[in-house]
Amino acid sequence: MQAYTVEQVAEMLSIGRDKVYFLLRTGQLNSIKIGKLRRITDRHLAEFVSSLESIDEA
């Protein structure tokens, strides 16, 4: 399992850091917390992208 920082996820998705924090805050993207650090796993990313695909197909 891979765990990414908010900055890494923003770069992967080609969106801004603020947008990633918005997605986390609104529950659209899940994450884990290790101490004070926020990490997004590859599973979280896959679930997020899958949810976008299902919305697009509807």
Side-chain angles (χ1 to χ4, degrees), residues 13-46:
L13 298 176
S14 298
I15 60 176
R17 217 182 77 189
D18 290 346
K19 181 66 174 183
V20 176
Y21 280 115
F22 172 79
L23 294 170
L24 291 169
R25 203 170 41 252
T26 59
Q28 297 176 61
L29 177 61
N30 294 316
S31 66
I32 57 173
K33 203 162 181 195
I34 304 169
K36 292 184 177 185
L37 304 174
R38 176 85 41 205
R39 294 292 181 259
I40 300 151
T41 66
D42 48 2
R43 191 188 85 215
H44 293 137
L45 275 176

